[in-house]
Amino acid sequence: MIAGSDDGYEEIVTQIGEVASLEAMQKIAGNICKFYHLANIAYHAVYIPGAKMFNPILVLTYDPGWDTTLKNDAQGFWCKQPATQRVCDHVI
């Protein structure tokens, strides 16, 4: 993706850089979905500068039931999430 001045990319990066809590990051993730018309995202960060939390973090906008499944089953993560399940069905 090539970021342009009208696609919101720089604003989103600025917001992420200023985030100070997991709850704030969850809100930003939801806003990313709305802005780009996405059903869900998985946001992984090794380090968030302003956050006072253990790193790395994984912020998911999926239904809470999916959150639990994905976080507890890292090995099957890619084939179980809704966004890639159809791809895995054809490859595996």
Side-chain angles (χ1 to χ4, degrees), residues 74-91:
Q75 183 178 5
F77 175 81
W78 295 111
C79 289
K80 289 187 177 183
Q81 67 170 319
T84 57
Q85 189 170 19
R86 289 181 61 195
V87 174
C88 288
D89 289 345
H90 294 293
V91 174

Side-chain angles (χ1 to χ4, degrees), residues 17-73:
E18 295 172 351
V19 76
S21 70
L22 188 56
E23 293 78 18
M25 187 60 226
Q26 188 69 45
K27 184 176 179 181
I28 291 170
N31 289 339
I32 292 170
C33 287
K34 289 176 189 172
F35 187 85
Y36 290 108
H37 306 285
L38 301 170
N40 293 293
I41 66 168
Y43 180 85
H44 176 263
V46 176
Y47 176 71
I48 296 180
K52 294 179 181 175
M53 66 187 80
F54 292 107
N55 291 303
I57 66 162
L58 179 62
V59 176
L60 305 170
T61 61
Y62 299 114
D63 176 89
W66 272 106
D67 285 359
T68 302
T69 300
L70 295 172
K71 288 177 183 174
N72 290 336
D73 187 12

